């Protein structure tokens, strides 16, 4: 059941902020640190130099995370907070807040670079910890990727991450995600008969995450990327026949 409280931003909400800068779409992952009658103060986990270029009254879109849903709204940039202009800022109280339902997504094997930043405290790391890996399975609702690290040296189930997934010519996708599974992937990568080589190449871990906040534009990029891989797979045999 949706109540009036579901449609009100709150302190500690995770927020995706989207804007246009010099004709290019940009986005920031932020946390609500103060909620006032006419404005919301937001803070970034890591400083972003592009934030300093936003101007007062510049239109922006906000996407708030809600369990099982996303909440989107139009807003505008109010001003920077603090001296750096790269981490804290205020936005106007959002207009036309509305809930959107999550959807099921087509999943496909794919290989592309993945970078992550930990944004929640965990047993293995702290906010600001970074890492990278290679995607092995992708959909518009989440991604599985492999990192060169053992289970005790990477993220843990429940950790919240900021992800950057490079889709080649289709562009870069930014998403806020939560870790839902972490498994030993050493033998999966090397093959069961080659597991003795693990000592030379190092352990691997498979990390599965679910997107908690992602823009419609970035979801569309993933869908286009998946369809392009499927099309190439279908067309490949016909060109070589």
């Amino acid at each position: 059941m949706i109540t009036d409280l579901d449609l009100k931003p709150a302190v500690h909400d995770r927020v995706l902020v989207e804007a246009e800068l010099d004709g290019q779409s940009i986005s920031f992952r932020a946390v609500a640190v103060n909620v006032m009658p006419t404005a919301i103060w937001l803070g970034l986990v890591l400083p972003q130099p592009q934030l300093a270029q936003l101007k007062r009254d510049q239109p922006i879109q906000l996407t708030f995370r809600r369990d099982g849903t996303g909440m989107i709204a139009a807003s505008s940039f109010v001003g920077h907070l603090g001296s750096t202009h790269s981490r804290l800022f205020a936005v106007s109280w959002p207009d036309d807040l509305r809930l959107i339902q999550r959807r099921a997504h087509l999943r496909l094997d794919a290989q592309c670079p993945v970078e992550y930043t930990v944004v929640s405290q965990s047993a293995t790391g702290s906010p600001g910890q970074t890492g990278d890996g290679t995607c092995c399975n992708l959909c518009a609702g989440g991604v599985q990727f492999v990192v060169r690290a053992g289970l005790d040296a990477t993220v843990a189930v429940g950790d919240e991450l900021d992800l950057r997934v490079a889709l080649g010519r289709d562009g870069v996708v930014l998403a806020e995600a939560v870790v839902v599974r972490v498994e030993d992937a050493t033998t999966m990568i090397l093959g069961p008969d080659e597991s003795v080589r693990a000592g030379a190449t190092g352990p691997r871990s498979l990390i599965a995450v679910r997107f908690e906040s992602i823009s419609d534009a970035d979801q569309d990029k993933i869908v286009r990327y998946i369809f392009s891989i499927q099309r190439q797979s279908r067309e490949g045999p016909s060109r070589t026949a």
Side-chain angles (χ1 to χ4, degrees):
M1 178 179 178
I2 297 175
T3 68
D4 290 342
L5 291 177
D6 293 322
L7 293 173
K8 291 184 178 180
V11 173
H12 304 311
D13 271 351
R14 302 298 305 280
V15 187
L16 171 67
V17 182
E18 297 176 274
E20 188 171 287
L21 190 63
D22 297 328
Q24 300 292 321
S25 296
I26 60 171
S27 60
F28 306 104
R29 305 289 169 180
V31 177
V33 297
N34 196 3
V35 176
M36 298 178 291
T38 60
I40 301 174
W41 292 8
L42 300 175
L44 305 182
V45 175
L46 296 175
Q48 296 287 346
Q50 287 181 309
L51 180 63
Q53 301 179 51
L54 296 185
K55 306 297 184 184
R56 184 176 181 85
D57 297 328
Q58 183 168 346
I60 58 176
Q61 178 169 291
L62 305 177
T63 302
F64 297 84
R65 190 175 72 191
R66 286 290 186 273
D67 291 337
T69 62
M71 186 170 68
I72 62 175
S75 180
S76 61
F77 189 78
V78 173
H80 300 93
L81 304 171
S83 59
T84 66
H85 290 188
S86 63
R87 191 160 187 174
L88 295 173
F89 59 103
V91 300
S92 65
W93 185 264
D95 299 322
D96 190 27
L97 283 160
R98 60 191 186 279
L99 294 172
I100 54 175
Q101 297 296 320
R102 298 193 188 279
R103 302 170 290 182
H105 302 289
L106 174 67
R107 183 177 292 274
L108 187 74
D109 292 343
Q111 288 192 338
C112 49
V114 177
E115 298 176 356
Y116 67 84
T117 300
V118 178
V119 295
S120 69
Q121 186 74 40
S122 75
T124 56
S126 58
Q129 175 188 344
T130 61
D132 60 83
T134 301
C135 168
C136 58
N137 194 279
L138 177 69
C139 77
V143 62
Q144 295 180 16
F145 60 97
V146 174
V147 299
R148 291 176 175 267
L151 297 179
D152 59 347
T154 185
V155 297
V157 172
D159 284 0
E160 296 179 345
L161 312 177
D162 278 351
L163 287 186
R164 185 180 187 275
V165 184
L167 303 180
R169 290 180 298 177
D170 291 282
V172 174
V173 166
L174 301 175
E176 178 184 318
V178 62
V179 178
V180 297
R181 190 171 73 258
V182 182
E183 300 176 351
D184 182 7
T186 302
T187 56
M188 182 192 77
I189 298 302
L190 300 176
D193 298 332
E194 300 177 82
S195 59
V196 293
R197 292 173 49 198
T201 61
R204 307 288 199 282
S205 295
L206 175 69
I207 301 171
V209 304
R210 179 182 68 246
F211 296 152
E212 292 294 294
S213 180
I214 184 171
S215 69
D216 289 341
D218 279 349
Q219 280 193 323
D220 288 343
K221 287 180 185 178
I222 293 175
V223 172
R224 290 196 301 269
Y225 182 73
I226 290 174
F227 286 162
S228 69
I229 292 177
Q230 289 181 317
R231 184 173 60 253
Q232 292 170 11
S233 177
R234 290 194 303 265
E235 294 175 351
S238 63
R239 290 195 300 265
T240 58

